[in-house]
Amino acid sequence: MRIDTKKLNEAMAEKGIFPKDLCGRLNITERELKIILIGGRNVDTRTAARISSVLGVKVRDIEKTGDDYDSGAVSGKPETAEI
């Protein structure tokens, strides 16, 4: 599953948690969190559950949904330049 960056940032702001704090609570590096935030990696359900637990939200409140994929946020196809 992919984490929706906008939803995650909103949840962090509501709780007053900075990315560095989140990393400390999850025992992950800032680099790992950055990869998750830019959407460069799928997150397993356990990691998503840990993130949601720290933030006090449900997993579905921070995951990218089908609507996010349909809107072009993630196309599933590699972008290629036309010549």
Side-chain angles (χ1 to χ4, degrees):
M1 100 178 39
R2 298 243 181 190
I3 300 295
D4 188 310
T5 304
K6 184 178 177 185
K7 293 176 184 177
L8 179 61
N9 285 327
E10 287 174 1
M12 288 171 49
E14 286 177 15
K15 297 293 181 179
I17 296 175
F18 292 96
K20 192 169 188 170
D21 300 329
L22 186 61
C23 291
R25 293 180 185 190
L26 296 173
N27 197 26
I28 63 173
T29 65
E30 289 183 54
R31 183 175 185 271
E32 289 176 291
L33 182 60
K34 185 176 182 180
I35 292 170
I36 291 170
L37 289 174
I38 61 172
R41 178 170 70 110
N42 283 334
V43 177
D44 61 9
T45 50
R46 182 175 183 218
T47 302
R50 288 175 46 214
I51 293 170
S52 67
S53 176
V54 168
L55 297 175
V57 297
K58 295 180 181 175
V59 173
R60 68 175 177 240
D61 293 338
I62 60 170
E63 75 176 319
K64 241 184 226 287
T65 61
D67 295 337
D68 299 328
Y69 286 101
D70 293 340
S71 68
V74 176
S75 65
K77 298 179 184 175
E79 293 184 21
T80 56
E82 293 185 26
I83 300 176

